[in-house]
Amino acid sequence: MLTTGDRHPWAAHELTFGEAAYWAQQDTAEDVFFADAASVDRVIARPVVIVAVNGGDDDVAARALPAALSRAGSLLVVCGDPQRVNALLGAGV
């Protein structure tokens, strides 16, 4: 799950143990992984990717959406204001 605004509380908690431990959890692919959309380049492919467009910078969100699509094996779920999502994508979704 990627968030464009505030970090998910789980991600904020896990980051208190350090960056290395946090990102190592992603590599095991054993559980849901929450990340900041600004880190989309570090996120590995998953069967399902969820993007919460919950604030944040439009440039980050606009870059994260197509990157998330490329990492979603079966399903991409985008949550947020439909008008903002459409504006970010430049299309009616």
Side-chain angles (χ1 to χ4, degrees):
M1 176 177 205
L2 299 171
T3 56
T4 63
D6 291 337
R7 281 195 170 112
H8 188 279
W10 178 89
H13 168 75
E14 291 299 319
L15 279 165
T16 65
F17 299 105
E19 288 274 333
Y22 171 73
W23 287 103
Q25 292 180 31
Q26 174 191 229
D27 297 338
T28 65
E30 293 176 354
D31 203 353
V32 176
F33 186 77
F34 298 86
D36 186 324
S39 302
V40 71
D41 294 334
R42 291 186 70 179
V43 175
I44 61 175
R46 294 287 181 111
V48 176
V49 175
I50 300 169
V51 180
V53 182
N54 63 329
D57 184 76
D58 282 350
D59 290 338
V60 171
R63 188 174 59 83
L65 290 168
L69 178 60
S70 73
R71 286 161 178 76
S74 300
L75 181 65
L76 173 65
V77 177
V78 179
C79 305
D81 175 30
Q83 290 179 334
R84 182 173 183 214
V85 172
N86 284 338
L88 291 168
L89 294 174
V93 182

